[in-house]
């Protein structure tokens, strides 16, 4: 396979006869899409778009949640050499308008009434005629100026026999642009990352042999396909014949795992952290006897995992771990469907305690690391190459090194062509020797394992000159049951403080009845949070400890511009909005450095 157009033919030939290649739950019924229907849908849409003038290099936007039709549009465009522009399904109208204008998208596919209204509100500002296509016929807006995906596919289906698929796959080369993916960014307007067919394919092929997956596997796809992580992983699944079930959002995943029973999955740490805290919370409500059994089992699991890493598990430890599996771990794994062989965590750092927990119970989480600009994977853990706290080793074809200031630099066949219409920004991150400056700080050990410390721009320098990475501290804080979100403060101040968001849904029943604004000042909640902060402080060096904190009355949200679509905190926005609260934590202390 050299291009993503080749992937369509590969799916047709290597997954032939599959009755459930893709599936999705709509209402109470699970709809299944066979290989033949999927390939026919891709082929038909490509023909219809070509008949309507879509040309190689033309930009086509996709504004939808995860569903089989997302890949239908994406792969149809790849057959034509059109450039797909994915939009996060939760973007606000002004963000949608910016991306559509900046990319010059001439076709826009959308799903859902709310997204349709967002597109409609921005059409006048595009400065050019734009064809709009609703995924579902019933969502097509009145006025007759919109198409539906079903109608376009029907147009192309009439010409399937006269225009064979084989004649469509040689239009693109590995050097051709495949997609513009706009980085969410924690500051400023998003930048369009130009990824070629060769970028994607090189990443898929490099990861192909890292994990044993195939036609007997079923994957749960719920991270937004607009993000390069899930999208590249899904390309890998399609290449390897893995069936995919789509979930439209991460909130629907827990019940779906019980019915779909996936064997593999990928997620950001948020899902695993919530699962971990839910287990710990349930245990705390059990009788003292059951709590002792749980602690005993967890200790056995941790000792067994450590012994296995050393290469020898004694007979007594083996028996103890087997008993722990029967008494405790099997019940926990049943909540993931009971068939999960392994899962991959990416997009952000996974808390060390969370990783240790899953390793102990026998659910292996492999961490990975990459960026949109590298399509995306640079490093990943894999069987026989796991080290807790690291993100694994460089994948085949990738070269990593650490700059003098600690920044991670990379060379990769997946490295982007550059930022769309922004050569200055491109020159800032790709140096003359071809090294991509990731903006992340970390280190490589003697065995080649990469550990991420923090974002370079997020490093805090106290007034005493201490350089502190806030993200590891924030990970420890949100691993505590009462804390859902944390923003560590201290740049230019003498010590660290934190803005904390309570985990409202995990609070005792008597506290959940209170309004959030009241809760932020509640003494009982303040006591719970203080215990959690002190538990974290005991794990930190003196200069890293949180000396003061304040509770926020609501979660940081995408709608308010406080987090990115990939759940990263926009630190500058949060700090600017809570300057008075931050000042109150330092009393008469003044910030001495901007």
């Amino acid at each position: 396979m050299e291009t993503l157009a080749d992937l369509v033919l590969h799916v047709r030939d290597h997954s032939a006869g599959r009755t459930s290649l893709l599936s999705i739950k709509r209402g109470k019924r699970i709809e299944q899409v066979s290989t033949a229907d999927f390939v026919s849908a891709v082929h038909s849409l490509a023909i219809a778009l070509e008949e309507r003038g879509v040309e190689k290099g033309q930009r086509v936007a996709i504004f939808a949640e995860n569903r089989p039709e997302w890949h239908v549009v994406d792969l149809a465009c790849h057959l034509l050499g059109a450039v797909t522009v994915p939009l996060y399904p939760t973007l606000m109208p002004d963000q949608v308008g910016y991306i559509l204008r900046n990319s010059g998208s001439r076709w826009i596919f959308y799903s859902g009434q709310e997204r349709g209204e967002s597109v409609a509100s921005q059409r006048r500002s595009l400065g050019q005629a734009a064809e709009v296509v609703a995924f579902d016929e019933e969502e097509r807006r009145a006025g007759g100026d919109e198409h539906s995906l079903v109608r376009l596919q029907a147009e192309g289906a009439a010409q399937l026999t006269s225009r064979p698929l084989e004649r469509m796959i040689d239009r693109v080369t590995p050097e051709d642009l495949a997609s513009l993916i706009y980085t969410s960014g924690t500051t400023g307007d998003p930048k369009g990352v130009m990824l070629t067919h060769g970028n994607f394919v090189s990443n898929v092929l490099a990861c192909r042999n890292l994990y044993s997956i195939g036609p007997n596997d079923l994957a749960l796809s719920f991270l937004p396909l607009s993000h390069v992580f899930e999208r590249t992983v899904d390309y890998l699944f399609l290449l390897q014949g893995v069936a995919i079930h789509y979930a439209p959002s991460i909130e629907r995943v827990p019940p779906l795992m019980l019915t779909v029973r996936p064997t593999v999955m990928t997620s950001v740490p948020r899902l695993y952290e919530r699962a971990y805290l839910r287990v710990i919370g349930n245990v705390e409500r059990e009788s003292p006897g059951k709590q002792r059994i749980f602690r005993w089992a967890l200790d056995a699991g941790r000792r067994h995992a450590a012994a296995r890493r050393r290469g020898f598990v004694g007979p007594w430890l083996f028996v103890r771990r087997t008993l722990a599996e029967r008494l405790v771990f099997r019940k926990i794994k049943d909540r993931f469907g009971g068939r999960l062989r392994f899962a991959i965590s990416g997009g952000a750092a996974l808390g060390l305690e969370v990783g240790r927990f899953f390793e102990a119970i026998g659910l292996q989480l492999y961490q990975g690391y990459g960026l949109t600009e590298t399509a995306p994977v640079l490093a990943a853990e894999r069987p026989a190459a796991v080290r807790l706290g690291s993100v694994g080793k460089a994948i085949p074809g990738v070269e990593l090194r650490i700059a003098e200031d600690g920044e991670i630099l990379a060379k990769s066949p997946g490295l982007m062509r550059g930022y769309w219409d922004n050569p200055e920004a491109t020159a800032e991150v790709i140096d003359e020797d071809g090294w991509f400056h990731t903006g992340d700080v970390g280190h490589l050990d003697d065995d080649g394992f990469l550990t991420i410390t923090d974002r370079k721009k997020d490093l805090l320098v106290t007034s005493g000159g201490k350089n502190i990475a806030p993200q590891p501290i924030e990970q420890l804080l949100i691993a505590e049951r009462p804390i859902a979100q944390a923003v560590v403060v201290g740049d230019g101040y003498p010590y660290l403080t934190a803005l904390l968001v309570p985990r409202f849904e995990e609070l005792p029943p008597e506290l959940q009845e209170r309004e959030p604004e009241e809760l932020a000042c509640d003494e009982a909640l303040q006591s719970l949070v203080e215990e959690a902060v002190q538990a974290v402080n005991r794990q930190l060096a003196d200069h890293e400890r949180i000396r003061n904190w304040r509770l926020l009355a609501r979660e940081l949200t995408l709608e308010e511009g406080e987090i990115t679509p990939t759940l990263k905190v926009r630190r500058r926005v949060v700090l600017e909005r809570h300057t008075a609260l931050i000042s109150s934590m330092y009393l008469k202390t003044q910030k001495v450095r901007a």
Side-chain angles (χ1 to χ4, degrees):
M1 186 175 78
E2 295 184 345
T3 71
L4 293 173
D6 296 335
L7 181 59
V8 181
L9 204 60
H10 176 90
V11 170
R12 186 196 68 178
D13 296 340
H14 291 266
S15 293
R18 299 280 295 275
T19 58
S20 182
L21 180 68
L22 309 177
S23 60
I24 187 170
K25 187 174 183 181
R26 290 187 169 122
K28 296 183 178 180
R29 188 168 64 91
I30 292 181
E31 295 183 8
Q32 298 181 338
V33 181
S34 68
T35 299
D37 288 343
F38 176 60
V39 174
S40 177
V42 173
H43 189 187
S44 298
L45 181 60
I47 292 172
L49 292 178
E50 185 177 39
E51 286 292 302
R52 289 178 172 270
V54 174
E55 301 175 343
K56 184 175 181 178
Q58 196 169 29
R59 273 79 65 202
V60 177
I62 307 175
F63 189 26
E65 78 282 12
N66 288 22
R67 51 192 291 175
E69 295 89 346
W70 203 104
H71 278 311
V72 168
V73 176
D74 181 52
L75 291 174
C77 288
H78 293 324
L79 286 175
L80 301 175
V83 179
T84 53
V85 183
L87 284 79
Y88 281 92
T90 54
L91 286 183
M92 298 293 101
D94 58 333
Q95 297 169 311
V96 172
Y98 174 82
I99 293 174
L100 294 178
R101 289 189 298 272
N102 187 262
S103 65
S105 295
R106 300 292 300 276
W107 283 75
I108 306 163
F109 287 79
Y110 76 88
S111 70
Q113 181 178 354
E114 187 174 343
R115 283 183 282 271
E117 291 172 354
S118 290
V119 171
S121 71
Q122 300 298 315
R123 287 183 73 176
R124 289 183 179 180
S125 69
L126 297 183
Q128 58 184 6
E131 302 284 354
V132 179
V133 184
F135 270 23
D136 301 298
E137 176 69 27
E138 61 271 18
E139 292 173 349
R140 195 166 66 94
R141 294 175 64 81
D145 60 342
E146 292 192 6
H147 310 283
S148 73
L149 183 59
V150 172
R151 294 190 184 191
L152 287 178
Q153 288 173 330
E155 291 177 12
Q159 303 182 57
L160 282 177
T161 55
S162 61
R163 300 173 70 171
L165 186 59
E166 287 81 358
R167 295 182 186 177
M168 303 189 76
I169 64 168
D170 58 355
R171 305 181 182 205
V172 294
T173 69
E175 292 74 32
D176 286 328
L177 195 58
S179 189
L180 280 181
I181 302 180
Y182 280 77
T183 58
S184 51
T186 54
T187 59
D189 290 325
K191 299 185 288 289
V193 175
M194 296 188 287
L195 294 177
T196 68
H197 285 262
N199 291 149
F200 280 113
V201 171
S202 68
N203 214 262
V204 169
L205 296 182
C207 295
R208 175 181 201 172
N209 296 320
L210 299 184
Y211 313 101
S212 177
I213 55 174
N216 293 325
D217 281 305
L218 172 61
L220 189 59
S221 172
F222 55 88
L223 296 182
L225 282 167
S226 48
H227 189 273
V228 68
F229 178 34
E230 186 66 42
R231 187 172 170 192
T232 300
V233 167
D234 276 19
Y235 289 151
L236 175 61
F237 289 154
L238 290 171
L239 180 69
Q240 297 295 88
V242 176
I244 304 173
H245 183 90
Y246 295 93
S249 67
I250 195 171
E251 287 73 24
R252 299 192 189 182
V253 169
L256 270 178
M257 285 193 291
L258 298 177
T259 55
V260 175
R261 303 183 67 220
T263 61
V264 295
M265 60 185 282
T266 59
S267 178
V268 291
R270 175 183 171 192
L271 177 75
Y272 309 121
E273 289 162 355
R274 284 187 170 183
Y276 163 74
L277 290 168
R278 191 174 297 115
V279 170
I280 298 302
N282 290 339
V283 170
E284 290 176 353
R285 289 188 284 270
E286 295 286 358
S287 66
K290 288 186 177 181
Q291 290 184 31
R292 284 194 295 271
I293 292 173
F294 176 82
R295 289 194 295 269
W296 172 86
L298 195 59
D299 179 69
R302 286 172 173 166
R303 290 176 183 273
H304 182 272
R308 190 176 56 188
R309 287 197 302 271
R310 292 193 299 266
F312 176 75
V313 177
W316 169 239
L317 185 56
F318 174 81
V319 170
R320 190 179 167 194
R321 173 62 177 76
T322 302
L323 185 58
E325 174 73 22
R326 293 177 181 176
L327 292 176
V328 177
F329 299 157
R330 186 178 297 168
K331 297 175 183 177
I332 297 174
K333 289 189 279 191
D334 283 345
R335 297 177 185 177
F336 290 85
R339 298 196 307 163
L340 193 63
R341 297 196 295 115
F342 67 89
I344 297 174
S345 178
L350 178 71
L352 190 59
E353 183 62 25
V354 178
R356 285 174 175 162
F357 170 78
F358 279 97
E359 182 189 45
I361 70 171
L363 274 181
Q364 185 62 59
L365 298 186
Y366 295 117
Q367 286 204 74
Y369 167 68
L371 299 94
T372 304
E373 290 87 344
T374 55
V377 186
L378 290 173
E381 292 183 310
R382 64 209 74 164
V386 175
R387 186 159 297 176
L388 283 176
S390 84
V391 293
K393 297 181 177 182
I395 65 171
V398 170
E399 187 178 354
L400 300 174
R401 73 179 179 88
I402 307 298
E404 291 184 3
D405 62 357
E407 184 175 9
I408 301 166
L409 309 183
K411 284 187 177 180
S412 168
L415 181 57
M416 66 174 180
R417 182 186 293 177
Y419 294 117
W420 178 257
D421 199 26
N422 199 340
E424 297 82 7
T426 303
E428 289 177 4
V429 297
I430 303 177
D431 64 28
E432 295 178 352
D433 296 321
W435 287 99
F436 173 64
H437 293 241
T438 65
D440 291 311
V441 176
H443 59 83
L444 285 164
D445 67 17
D446 293 339
D447 296 321
F449 285 91
L450 176 67
T451 299
I452 311 297
T453 307
D454 215 308
R455 287 293 294 171
K456 187 176 178 180
K457 292 181 179 179
D458 287 347
L459 287 177
L460 307 178
V461 183
T462 67
S463 58
K466 294 289 187 181
N467 288 267
I468 303 173
Q471 285 190 20
I473 303 172
E474 290 164 353
Q475 287 297 320
L476 290 173
L477 287 166
I478 64 176
E480 295 293 324
R481 189 180 173 195
I483 303 172
Q485 293 172 311
V487 181
V488 172
V489 182
D491 197 42
Y493 290 109
Y495 52 82
L496 298 189
T497 61
L499 298 173
L500 306 174
V501 177
R503 197 177 301 275
F504 294 108
E505 71 276 11
E506 293 288 336
L507 296 177
E510 62 272 16
L511 292 180
Q512 289 189 17
E513 298 174 359
R514 306 277 297 279
E515 292 296 324
E517 292 76 10
E518 295 179 45
L519 271 175
C521 302
D522 184 88
E523 289 186 7
L525 178 57
Q526 295 267 338
S527 179
L528 285 174
V529 173
E530 176 62 21
E531 289 178 12
V533 171
Q534 292 307 318
V536 169
N537 278 342
R538 287 192 287 271
Q539 305 173 57
L540 299 171
D542 185 68
H543 66 278
E544 296 175 321
R545 291 174 182 165
I546 303 300
R547 308 293 178 182
N548 208 341
W549 51 269
R550 294 288 186 273
L551 291 181
L552 302 183
R554 63 168 180 81
E555 287 194 3
L556 306 176
T557 66
L558 175 68
E559 291 75 14
E560 293 294 329
E562 296 154 334
I563 61 173
T564 72
T566 52
L567 307 181
K568 295 183 179 68
V569 173
R570 296 185 190 269
R571 196 173 297 274
R572 178 181 58 80
V573 173
V574 174
L575 298 186
E576 287 177 353
R577 290 185 179 176
H578 298 285
T579 53
L581 205 57
I582 291 169
S583 296
S584 73
M585 292 190 284
Y586 291 96
L587 300 175
K588 296 181 180 180
T589 301
Q590 293 184 349
K591 190 174 182 181
V592 298
R593 187 177 64 82

